[in-house]
Amino acid sequence: MTRWVALLRGVNVGGVAVRSADLAALFREQGFGQVKTVLATGNVVFDADTEPATAEATALKSLIETALSERFGYDAWIVLVPQQDIARRASAYPFELDDARQPYILFGSDDAVLDELFDAAQALGSPEDRIARGDGVLYWSLPKGRSTDTPVAKLVAKAKYRSTTTNRNLRTVERIASA
């Protein structure tokens, strides 16, 4: 049994409203155990009889995306991560925490895309953005209040990255890790 985290992309923004109770009910209907939603930003922690890094894990991701699309009527994309990896990635955050900066972790389901994003972000040479490559993630630090308009924010928001990436504030990730 694996404790999984489904990180949904694009819910409760841009007109896609998904209530936490409805989201949890959908996961229970799919047969998952110990379902818990964390905050209202599309984070579901659950148990499934699927091992990480297997064809079954890929099928699990697809099953969840299909169920979300059918139930809530939007193009659903998730990043599926074992909960133990969430905790490890949060504790590896490499930048100093500072009241003037926002700490984010950008999760990805495709390492090649994360490599491409990292290289593109480095090429921007943005003095506002700090970015580092981690295991299955990019760590990102930017000035508070600038999460949509720094050079890296604009890069991350490109449509070509939507189906394989999603970001979370470090404090949210820490809450997910302990859920």
Side-chain angles (χ1 to χ4, degrees), residues 75-152:
D75 287 331
W77 299 300
I78 68 165
V79 175
L80 187 64
V81 185
Q83 188 182 31
Q84 67 185 22
D85 290 355
I86 294 281
R88 183 176 46 79
R89 290 170 181 163
S91 67
Y93 190 81
F95 302 116
E96 183 177 328
L97 299 179
D98 174 333
D99 286 340
R101 299 190 65 81
Q102 189 68 46
Y104 280 107
I105 301 178
L106 180 78
F107 291 87
S109 56
D110 183 332
D111 278 335
V113 171
L114 288 174
D115 290 339
E116 177 184 323
L117 267 169
F118 179 69
D119 292 344
Q122 290 291 313
L124 291 171
S126 168
E128 302 157 300
D129 295 291
R130 296 177 191 146
I131 194 149
R133 183 71 163 91
D135 176 26
V137 298
L138 294 180
Y139 296 104
W140 180 26
S141 173
L142 65 154
K144 281 193 175 171
R146 302 281 313 278
S147 63
T148 60
D149 67 352
T150 69
V152 172

Side-chain angles (χ1 to χ4, degrees), residues 1 15-16 25 29 32 38 42 51 53 58 62 74 88 91 97 111 116 136 152 169 173 175-176:
M1 188 67 65
V16 177
E29 289 166 16
F32 303 129
V38 180
E51 292 300 315
T58 302
S62 180
Y74 77 106
R88 183 176 46 79
S91 67
L97 299 179
D111 278 335
E116 177 184 323
V152 172
N169 177 293
V173 175
R175 287 186 65 180
I176 295 166

